[in-house]
Amino acid sequence: MTINDLVSKIKENDPKADTSLVELAYDFAAKAHEGQTRSTGEPYINHPLATAGILAEMNLGAPLIVAALLHDVPEDTAVTLEELEKNFGADVAEMVRGITKLGKIKYRGIERYIENLRKMFLAMASDLRVLFIKFADRLHNLQTLEALPPKKQYRIALETLEIFAPIANRLGMGEMRAQLEDLSFKYVYPEEYQWTVKIFEEAAPPKEAYLEQVKKILAGELAVHGVKEVEMSGRRKHLYSLYKKLLKYDRDISRIHDLIALRIIVPTVADCYSVLGVIHGLWKPLKGRIKDYIAQPKPNGYRSLHTTVFCEDGEVVEFQIRTRDMHEEAEIGIAAHWHYDESGKRAELPQHAKWVQELARIQKEISEKKEFLEALETLKIDIFRNRIFVFTPRGDVIDLPEEATPIDLAYAIHSDIGNSCIGAMVNDEIVPLDSPLRSGDVVYILTDKNRKTPSADWLKFVKTRQAKNKIKAALREQHVGWFKTLLKQNKK
Ligand code: MN
């Protein structure tokens, strides 16, 4: 990648974009890093340039690309943040400051993990763009990891698998997550990586040849039904997710049906359903494998129609059908909502990403580092767990972490409901209060208005930070109450 490649990439996405600041930032960074080389032996500037290139590929605005070009300047050169601010403005300087802060971690082992996680959450809460730059920076570092000593390779790759990839996933950045994982996989589990590559390389080519035939049949049928402008391609499953799936299926590749899926991109939502209809007219779908993530998007915002069918000669094939917009969101997730914001600043977030704002609020609440570390355990669980959606009898939808219980739901509705909860009905049946809820459950919380305090036992199974804190607060109040009565009695 050269600066000209970068500029033409930006222009390709937005012909009206003003790239003069980008070019200026490149010259500035190239001068600052002059004479420095990376461990690969190349000039240092290649790294910020590649980082900026990854972000341009994601069609993110010019201020972010400027910040990416400058991201290592204050850390590695004599140029200060103040000088950056003078030349490129406060917004760019603020982003670079954020990335510089993320970079400095001196701890080892578990301490390092916690500190890292804390910093990532802080960055996420204050400006998501900093995180996007950090992801791109990490991605390029992984692409050139070969040049580092093995110990460092392992540490960086492991940190990517444990921290960066789950956060990218939570933000719906599917392509980023997959690339981070696949590049790290090789260094963290080298033998498992070789094994996965080997079985993939054996199984994939015949499947690809077969899918060429399927594509032709489907294309013909779609034309007959008047579905136009169809883009069809075979999507190879990413290695790390294939590996994880293989572990789940006794390492038996014949049980994995989406090794290569056929991805179909059409202009409108209506076209998506037409394509689904045509596919089901041609081939019989497998029971329980039709997934309408358009009507019910995944908690991270992913939308598509999925179906798995008994295809030609009884082979099992998965199809994924989506529009261009859905495709973009599936690849870059939350970053898709940055494009059209003129200033490049945080745009209004879609419903499924509101938790990022919640995170910002929590972070403000817990400004003390020590407290933050204490809260981290529960916070981490809230964020890294997948989300489920359950319904109240009135039809309200409540978003909870996976395995949340009726008590978590009760506290999500209101602390009074939580404190006076005496039972729960899930889909019209009485269940124990510690039963894990599932997406789509209709949950009715039974309360008793005479009950004012929760049971301390609930702390053993609740999953959300909110429920935990509210139970503790109510118990504390109760104890204070007892104590006061006791004092009064003693006075008498
Ligand atoms: Mn860097």
Side-chain angles (χ1 to χ4, degrees):
M1 153 121 2
T2 66
I3 179 63
N4 290 334
D5 297 338
L6 179 65
V7 166
S8 39
K9 187 78 224 167
I10 297 168
K11 296 260 190 204
E12 195 185 298
N13 290 333
D14 177 10
K16 287 179 300 193
D18 178 10
T19 54
S20 53
L21 204 60
V22 171
E23 286 166 82
L24 215 62
Y26 172 77
D27 292 337
F28 191 95
K31 195 161 161 262
H33 288 296
E34 193 153 40
Q36 297 176 351
T37 50
R38 305 196 78 216
S39 29
T40 51
E42 329 158 70
Y44 196 87
I45 188 65
N46 287 6
H47 165 65
L49 194 56
T51 304
I54 291 166
L55 296 163
E57 207 56 67
M58 290 163 70
N59 193 7
L60 291 163
L64 204 138
I65 289 172
V66 168
L69 284 168
L70 300 166
H71 82 268
D72 280 330
V73 165
E75 178 90 49
D76 297 339
T77 78
V79 180
T80 63
L81 267 165
E82 288 67 40
E83 282 170 77
L84 283 190
E85 183 164 348
K86 237 183 275 158
N87 285 279
F88 299 97
D91 187 39
V92 166
E94 220 20 75
M95 277 189 268
V96 176
R97 185 190 317 265
I99 300 155
T100 311
K101 266 197 226 157
L102 268 179
K104 284 182 191 142
I105 290 169
K106 49 184 185 301
Y107 301 97
R108 302 222 157 263
I110 185 74
E111 283 288 301
R112 186 184 176 91
Y113 171 76
I114 292 172
E115 181 58 12
N116 231 314
L117 205 55
R118 189 182 77 88
K119 287 196 163 177
M120 292 291 276
F121 282 140
L122 289 179
M124 185 151 60
S126 59
D127 189 347
L128 265 179
R129 294 176 303 168
V130 169
L131 214 62
F132 299 157
I133 299 172
K134 189 66 200 171
F135 282 146
D137 172 53
R138 177 54 60 99
L139 189 58
H140 184 248
N141 283 335
L142 287 167
Q143 284 163 354
T144 52
L145 204 59
E146 214 50 74
L148 292 184
K151 229 180 164 173
K152 241 181 160 177
Q153 288 175 343
Y154 179 79
R155 179 181 63 66
I156 292 173
L158 183 66
E159 188 176 271
T160 308
L161 282 187
E162 285 185 340
I163 295 174
F164 286 65
I167 293 178
N169 183 43
R170 196 63 193 81
L171 295 170
M173 303 171 77
E175 191 51 34
M176 178 60 77
R177 190 211 80 209
Q179 289 194 41
L180 290 171
E181 283 180 348
D182 282 7
L183 286 164
S184 308
F185 185 18
K186 182 163 64 166
Y187 296 100
V188 179
Y189 307 107
E191 278 158 29
E192 300 294 80
Y193 173 81
Q194 295 303 344
W195 170 75
T196 310
V197 169
K198 187 166 166 279
I199 58 174
F200 182 83
E201 289 306 334
E202 279 164 12
K207 185 94 179 179
E208 266 164 346
Y210 165 81
L211 285 179
E212 278 307 309
Q213 301 307 309
V214 173
K215 247 159 84 173
K216 277 189 199 126
I217 297 169
L218 181 59
E221 196 68 9
L222 287 174
V224 170
H225 286 82
V227 184
K228 288 184 207 110
E229 294 177 63
V230 187
E231 202 183 300
M232 248 193 276
S233 57
R235 183 220 46 117
R236 289 174 153 227
K237 194 167 183 66
H238 290 286
L239 283 175
Y240 190 63
S241 68
L242 171 62
Y243 168 65
K244 282 195 294 189
K245 203 161 185 176
L246 278 165
L247 294 185
K248 248 203 289 195
Y249 290 101
D250 305 323
R251 301 190 172 231
D252 179 0
I253 192 138
S254 71
R255 289 170 62 191
I256 291 176
H257 301 316
D258 62 346
L259 185 66
I260 300 168
L262 263 191
R263 182 168 290 161
I264 301 159
I265 297 176
V266 287
T268 68
V269 172
D271 291 329
C272 293
Y273 291 100
S274 306
V275 172
L276 185 72
V278 171
I279 292 171
H280 288 172
L282 280 169
W283 304 295
K284 203 172 147 58
L286 267 73
K287 242 197 183 143
R289 294 294 297 270
I290 307 166
K291 290 177 191 140
D292 187 346
Y293 296 121
I294 295 178
Q296 285 190 306
K298 284 192 186 179
N300 67 5
Y302 178 83
R303 287 178 304 157
S304 268
L305 296 175
H306 288 191
T307 185
T308 307
V309 302
F310 293 108
C311 208
E312 297 301 297
D313 311 317
E315 279 250 15
V316 177
V317 175
E318 181 178 308
F319 293 87
Q320 304 173 348
I321 311 155
R322 51 176 76 157
T323 64
R324 178 74 37 217
D325 278 359
M326 293 177 199
H327 181 58
E328 185 181 41
E329 174 133 16
E331 303 258 296
I332 67 171
I334 203 167
H337 302 278
W338 257 255
H339 295 181
Y340 305 107
D341 187 58
E342 285 283 301
S343 65
K345 258 279 177 197
R346 181 180 291 184
E348 175 65 17
L349 291 174
Q351 197 54 41
H352 68 81
K354 291 283 191 228
W355 65 272
V356 174
Q357 275 153 5
E358 170 71 1
L359 188 67
R361 199 182 58 70
I362 294 171
Q363 186 254 317
K364 270 193 209 117
E365 244 176 49
I366 312 172
S367 48
E368 265 300 293
K369 184 176 159 183
K370 192 168 160 274
E371 264 183 80
F372 188 95
L373 289 180
E374 280 165 12
L376 190 72
E377 213 32 53
T378 31
L379 233 178
K380 199 175 82 195
I381 289 164
D382 274 12
I383 287 167
F384 282 164
R385 248 204 202 106
N386 288 323
R387 309 294 286 187
I388 56 167
F389 292 110
V390 301
F391 299 93
T392 69
R394 283 169 38 203
D396 293 331
V397 184
I398 313 272
D399 164 14
L400 293 167
E402 223 169 38
E403 306 210 326
T405 64
I407 296 290
D408 291 293
L409 173 70
Y411 280 102
I413 302 170
H414 197 280
S415 8
D416 290 344
I417 309 250
N419 290 342
S420 59
C421 174
I422 51 161
M425 284 172 80
V426 172
N427 308 324
D428 291 330
E429 272 179 53
I430 300 267
V431 298
L433 287 174
D434 62 351
S435 337
L437 298 174
R438 279 181 310 202
S439 258
D441 281 346
V442 179
V443 189
Y444 182 65
I445 302 292
L446 304 161
T447 56
D448 174 355
K449 57 178 183 315
N450 294 321
R451 175 164 194 160
K452 292 277 185 280
T453 36
S455 153
D457 285 344
W458 295 351
L459 287 171
K460 291 181 197 142
F461 59 75
V462 292
K463 295 292 184 296
T464 54
R465 174 180 170 274
Q466 193 182 24
K468 216 165 256 177
N469 287 351
K470 285 181 175 171
I471 294 169
K472 280 189 195 155
L475 290 173
R476 213 177 298 134
E477 219 167 279
Q478 185 194 35
H479 293 152
V480 171
W482 286 342
F483 195 60
K484 280 186 181 155
T485 342
L486 206 70
L487 283 179
K488 262 188 217 155
Q489 282 166 349
N490 282 350
K491 267 185 197 162
K492 275 177 196 166

Short mmCIF file of all heavy atoms in Angstrom, two decimals, residues 170 299 378-390 398-405 408-409 412 436-439 462-466:
data_model
loop_
_atom_site.label_atom_id
_atom_site.label_comp_id
_atom_site.label_asym_id
_atom_site.label_seq_id
_atom_site.Cartn_x
_atom_site.Cartn_y
_atom_site.Cartn_z
N ARG A 170 -18.57 -8.67 19.86
CA ARG A 170 -19.66 -8.00 20.58
C ARG A 170 -20.12 -6.76 19.83
O ARG A 170 -21.27 -6.35 19.93
CB ARG A 170 -19.16 -7.65 21.99
CG ARG A 170 -20.25 -7.31 22.97
CD ARG A 170 -21.16 -8.52 23.19
NE ARG A 170 -22.39 -8.13 23.88
CZ ARG A 170 -23.44 -7.59 23.28
NH1 ARG A 170 -23.45 -7.37 21.99
NH2 ARG A 170 -24.52 -7.27 23.98
N PRO A 299 -28.43 -10.35 18.62
CA PRO A 299 -28.20 -9.23 19.55
C PRO A 299 -27.08 -8.27 19.11
O PRO A 299 -27.12 -7.11 19.45
CB PRO A 299 -27.83 -9.94 20.85
CG PRO A 299 -28.54 -11.24 20.76
CD PRO A 299 -28.47 -11.63 19.32
N THR A 378 -17.98 -8.85 37.10
CA THR A 378 -19.38 -8.91 36.67
C THR A 378 -19.57 -8.21 35.34
O THR A 378 -20.30 -8.67 34.48
CB THR A 378 -20.33 -8.30 37.71
OG1 THR A 378 -19.65 -7.26 38.40
CG2 THR A 378 -20.79 -9.36 38.68
N LEU A 379 -18.86 -7.10 35.18
CA LEU A 379 -18.97 -6.34 33.93
C LEU A 379 -18.58 -7.21 32.73
O LEU A 379 -19.26 -7.25 31.71
CB LEU A 379 -17.96 -5.20 34.01
CG LEU A 379 -18.45 -3.79 33.76
CD1 LEU A 379 -17.29 -2.84 33.95
CD2 LEU A 379 -19.04 -3.64 32.40
N LYS A 380 -17.48 -7.89 32.92
CA LYS A 380 -16.94 -8.74 31.88
C LYS A 380 -17.97 -9.80 31.49
O LYS A 380 -18.18 -10.09 30.32
CB LYS A 380 -15.69 -9.41 32.43
CG LYS A 380 -14.76 -9.96 31.41
CD LYS A 380 -13.51 -10.47 32.09
CE LYS A 380 -13.70 -11.84 32.66
NZ LYS A 380 -12.67 -12.23 33.60
N ILE A 381 -18.61 -10.34 32.50
CA ILE A 381 -19.61 -11.37 32.25
C ILE A 381 -20.78 -10.78 31.46
O ILE A 381 -21.24 -11.36 30.49
CB ILE A 381 -20.07 -12.00 33.57
CG1 ILE A 381 -18.93 -12.87 34.13
CG2 ILE A 381 -21.33 -12.83 33.38
CD1 ILE A 381 -19.09 -13.24 35.57
N ASP A 382 -21.23 -9.60 31.87
CA ASP A 382 -22.33 -8.94 31.15
C ASP A 382 -21.99 -8.74 29.68
O ASP A 382 -22.83 -8.90 28.82
CB ASP A 382 -22.61 -7.56 31.75
CG ASP A 382 -23.56 -7.65 32.93
OD1 ASP A 382 -23.80 -8.77 33.40
OD2 ASP A 382 -24.06 -6.60 33.36
N ILE A 383 -20.77 -8.36 29.41
CA ILE A 383 -20.45 -7.95 28.06
C ILE A 383 -20.04 -9.09 27.15
O ILE A 383 -20.41 -9.13 25.99
CB ILE A 383 -19.40 -6.83 28.10
CG1 ILE A 383 -20.12 -5.57 28.59
CG2 ILE A 383 -18.79 -6.57 26.74
CD1 ILE A 383 -19.24 -4.46 28.97
N PHE A 384 -19.28 -10.02 27.68
CA PHE A 384 -18.82 -11.09 26.81
C PHE A 384 -19.85 -12.19 26.59
O PHE A 384 -19.76 -12.96 25.67
CB PHE A 384 -17.53 -11.69 27.32
CG PHE A 384 -16.36 -10.83 27.02
CD1 PHE A 384 -15.15 -10.99 27.65
CD2 PHE A 384 -16.47 -9.82 26.06
CE1 PHE A 384 -14.07 -10.18 27.35
CE2 PHE A 384 -15.41 -9.00 25.75
CZ PHE A 384 -14.20 -9.19 26.40
N ARG A 385 -20.81 -12.28 27.47
CA ARG A 385 -21.85 -13.28 27.24
C ARG A 385 -22.74 -12.82 26.10
O ARG A 385 -22.97 -11.64 25.93
CB ARG A 385 -22.72 -13.39 28.50
CG ARG A 385 -22.52 -14.71 29.12
CD ARG A 385 -23.61 -15.19 29.97
NE ARG A 385 -22.97 -16.17 30.83
CZ ARG A 385 -22.72 -15.94 32.09
NH1 ARG A 385 -23.09 -14.82 32.65
NH2 ARG A 385 -22.11 -16.84 32.80
N ASN A 386 -23.26 -13.77 25.36
CA ASN A 386 -24.22 -13.41 24.33
C ASN A 386 -25.49 -12.90 24.99
O ASN A 386 -25.75 -13.21 26.13
CB ASN A 386 -24.53 -14.61 23.45
CG ASN A 386 -23.36 -14.93 22.57
OD1 ASN A 386 -22.68 -14.02 22.09
ND2 ASN A 386 -23.11 -16.21 22.39
N ARG A 387 -26.24 -12.15 24.24
CA ARG A 387 -27.47 -11.60 24.80
C ARG A 387 -28.68 -12.44 24.39
O ARG A 387 -28.69 -13.07 23.35
CB ARG A 387 -27.68 -10.16 24.31
CG ARG A 387 -26.50 -9.26 24.50
CD ARG A 387 -26.14 -8.97 25.91
NE ARG A 387 -27.06 -8.06 26.58
CZ ARG A 387 -26.81 -7.58 27.80
NH1 ARG A 387 -25.72 -7.93 28.45
NH2 ARG A 387 -27.66 -6.76 28.38
N ILE A 388 -29.69 -12.43 25.25
CA ILE A 388 -30.96 -13.05 24.88
C ILE A 388 -32.05 -11.99 25.00
O ILE A 388 -31.86 -10.98 25.67
CB ILE A 388 -31.30 -14.26 25.79
CG1 ILE A 388 -31.31 -13.83 27.26
CG2 ILE A 388 -30.34 -15.40 25.57
CD1 ILE A 388 -31.93 -14.86 28.18
N PHE A 389 -33.16 -12.24 24.37
CA PHE A 389 -34.29 -11.34 24.48
C PHE A 389 -35.47 -12.10 25.07
O PHE A 389 -35.84 -13.14 24.56
CB PHE A 389 -34.69 -10.80 23.10
CG PHE A 389 -33.67 -9.89 22.51
CD1 PHE A 389 -32.92 -10.29 21.42
CD2 PHE A 389 -33.44 -8.64 23.06
CE1 PHE A 389 -31.97 -9.44 20.87
CE2 PHE A 389 -32.49 -7.78 22.53
CZ PHE A 389 -31.75 -8.19 21.43
N VAL A 390 -36.02 -11.61 26.17
CA VAL A 390 -37.21 -12.26 26.72
C VAL A 390 -38.35 -11.25 26.74
O VAL A 390 -38.13 -10.05 26.63
CB VAL A 390 -36.96 -12.83 28.14
CG1 VAL A 390 -35.85 -13.85 28.12
CG2 VAL A 390 -36.64 -11.71 29.12
N ILE A 398 -37.04 -7.44 26.83
CA ILE A 398 -35.94 -7.11 27.73
C ILE A 398 -34.69 -7.87 27.28
O ILE A 398 -34.74 -9.07 27.01
CB ILE A 398 -36.26 -7.49 29.20
CG1 ILE A 398 -37.66 -7.00 29.60
CG2 ILE A 398 -35.17 -6.98 30.14
CD1 ILE A 398 -37.77 -5.61 30.13
N ASP A 399 -33.61 -7.12 27.19
CA ASP A 399 -32.34 -7.65 26.71
C ASP A 399 -31.48 -8.06 27.91
O ASP A 399 -31.21 -7.26 28.79
CB ASP A 399 -31.72 -6.49 25.90
CG ASP A 399 -30.26 -6.62 25.60
OD1 ASP A 399 -29.73 -7.72 25.77
OD2 ASP A 399 -29.66 -5.62 25.19
N LEU A 400 -31.11 -9.34 27.98
CA LEU A 400 -30.35 -9.84 29.13
C LEU A 400 -29.16 -10.68 28.66
O LEU A 400 -29.18 -11.18 27.54
CB LEU A 400 -31.26 -10.75 30.00
CG LEU A 400 -32.41 -10.09 30.73
CD1 LEU A 400 -33.36 -11.17 31.24
CD2 LEU A 400 -31.90 -9.24 31.89
N PRO A 401 -28.15 -10.87 29.51
CA PRO A 401 -27.08 -11.79 29.10
C PRO A 401 -27.57 -13.23 29.12
O PRO A 401 -28.51 -13.55 29.86
CB PRO A 401 -25.99 -11.56 30.14
CG PRO A 401 -26.67 -10.99 31.31
CD PRO A 401 -27.87 -10.24 30.80
N GLU A 402 -26.95 -14.07 28.33
CA GLU A 402 -27.27 -15.49 28.28
C GLU A 402 -27.28 -16.08 29.69
O GLU A 402 -26.44 -15.71 30.50
CB GLU A 402 -26.18 -16.18 27.48
CG GLU A 402 -26.67 -17.20 26.50
CD GLU A 402 -25.54 -17.63 25.58
OE1 GLU A 402 -24.39 -17.76 26.06
OE2 GLU A 402 -25.81 -17.81 24.41
N GLU A 403 -28.19 -17.00 29.94
CA GLU A 403 -28.30 -17.69 31.23
C GLU A 403 -28.79 -16.79 32.36
O GLU A 403 -28.71 -17.17 33.53
CB GLU A 403 -26.96 -18.33 31.63
CG GLU A 403 -26.44 -19.22 30.54
CD GLU A 403 -25.62 -20.37 31.05
OE1 GLU A 403 -24.91 -20.22 32.05
OE2 GLU A 403 -25.72 -21.43 30.45
N ALA A 404 -29.28 -15.61 32.03
CA ALA A 404 -29.88 -14.76 33.05
C ALA A 404 -31.09 -15.50 33.61
O ALA A 404 -31.68 -16.36 32.95
CB ALA A 404 -30.29 -13.43 32.45
N THR A 405 -31.48 -15.16 34.84
CA THR A 405 -32.56 -15.86 35.53
C THR A 405 -33.75 -14.92 35.69
O THR A 405 -33.64 -13.72 35.44
CB THR A 405 -32.08 -16.29 36.92
OG1 THR A 405 -31.80 -15.09 37.68
CG2 THR A 405 -30.82 -17.14 36.84
N ASP A 408 -32.88 -11.80 37.50
CA ASP A 408 -32.22 -10.77 36.69
C ASP A 408 -33.27 -9.95 35.94
O ASP A 408 -33.18 -8.73 35.86
CB ASP A 408 -31.27 -11.41 35.67
CG ASP A 408 -30.06 -12.05 36.34
OD1 ASP A 408 -29.24 -11.29 36.89
OD2 ASP A 408 -29.95 -13.29 36.32
N LEU A 409 -34.25 -10.66 35.40
CA LEU A 409 -35.30 -9.97 34.67
C LEU A 409 -36.07 -9.04 35.61
O LEU A 409 -36.32 -7.88 35.28
CB LEU A 409 -36.27 -10.98 34.04
CG LEU A 409 -37.50 -10.33 33.40
CD1 LEU A 409 -37.12 -9.55 32.16
CD2 LEU A 409 -38.56 -11.37 33.06
N ALA A 412 -34.23 -6.05 36.17
CA ALA A 412 -34.13 -5.24 34.95
C ALA A 412 -35.39 -4.41 34.76
O ALA A 412 -35.35 -3.32 34.20
CB ALA A 412 -33.88 -6.13 33.74
N PRO A 436 -32.25 -20.78 34.08
CA PRO A 436 -31.77 -19.91 33.01
C PRO A 436 -32.88 -19.62 32.00
O PRO A 436 -33.61 -20.54 31.60
CB PRO A 436 -30.63 -20.71 32.38
CG PRO A 436 -30.71 -22.08 32.92
CD PRO A 436 -31.59 -22.09 34.12
N LEU A 437 -33.01 -18.37 31.59
CA LEU A 437 -34.03 -18.00 30.60
C LEU A 437 -33.46 -18.19 29.20
O LEU A 437 -32.25 -18.20 29.01
CB LEU A 437 -34.44 -16.55 30.81
CG LEU A 437 -35.06 -16.23 32.17
CD1 LEU A 437 -35.30 -14.73 32.30
CD2 LEU A 437 -36.38 -16.99 32.32
N ARG A 438 -34.36 -18.33 28.23
CA ARG A 438 -33.92 -18.44 26.85
C ARG A 438 -34.62 -17.40 25.99
O ARG A 438 -35.71 -16.95 26.34
CB ARG A 438 -34.21 -19.84 26.31
CG ARG A 438 -33.15 -20.84 26.75
CD ARG A 438 -33.43 -22.19 26.20
NE ARG A 438 -34.83 -22.55 26.49
CZ ARG A 438 -35.28 -23.79 26.51
NH1 ARG A 438 -34.47 -24.78 26.25
NH2 ARG A 438 -36.55 -24.04 26.78
N SER A 439 -33.99 -17.04 24.88
CA SER A 439 -34.58 -16.05 23.97
C SER A 439 -35.99 -16.46 23.61
O SER A 439 -36.22 -17.63 23.30
CB SER A 439 -33.74 -15.92 22.70
OG SER A 439 -32.96 -14.77 22.77
N VAL A 462 -27.58 -14.96 40.31
CA VAL A 462 -27.91 -13.90 39.34
C VAL A 462 -26.73 -13.64 38.41
O VAL A 462 -25.57 -13.87 38.78
CB VAL A 462 -28.37 -12.58 40.00
CG1 VAL A 462 -29.70 -12.75 40.68
CG2 VAL A 462 -27.31 -12.04 40.94
N LYS A 463 -27.03 -13.18 37.20
CA LYS A 463 -25.99 -13.04 36.19
C LYS A 463 -25.66 -11.58 35.86
O LYS A 463 -24.62 -11.30 35.32
CB LYS A 463 -26.42 -13.74 34.89
CG LYS A 463 -26.56 -15.24 35.02
CD LYS A 463 -25.20 -15.89 35.24
CE LYS A 463 -25.28 -17.40 35.29
NZ LYS A 463 -26.05 -17.96 36.38
N THR A 464 -26.58 -10.68 36.13
CA THR A 464 -26.30 -9.29 35.74
C THR A 464 -25.74 -8.48 36.91
O THR A 464 -26.05 -8.74 38.06
CB THR A 464 -27.58 -8.58 35.23
OG1 THR A 464 -28.59 -8.71 36.24
CG2 THR A 464 -28.06 -9.17 33.95
N ARG A 465 -24.96 -7.52 36.53
CA ARG A 465 -24.36 -6.61 37.49
C ARG A 465 -25.45 -5.81 38.19
O ARG A 465 -25.41 -5.57 39.39
CB ARG A 465 -23.44 -5.68 36.69
CG ARG A 465 -22.83 -4.58 37.47
CD ARG A 465 -21.96 -3.75 36.53
NE ARG A 465 -21.56 -2.54 37.22
CZ ARG A 465 -22.29 -1.43 37.26
NH1 ARG A 465 -23.44 -1.37 36.61
NH2 ARG A 465 -21.86 -0.39 37.92
N GLN A 466 -26.47 -5.44 37.38
CA GLN A 466 -27.57 -4.66 37.91
C GLN A 466 -28.27 -5.39 39.07
O GLN A 466 -28.47 -4.82 40.15
CB GLN A 466 -28.56 -4.42 36.77
CG GLN A 466 -29.59 -3.38 37.06
CD GLN A 466 -30.56 -3.24 35.88
OE1 GLN A 466 -30.73 -4.18 35.09
NE2 GLN A 466 -31.17 -2.08 35.76
#
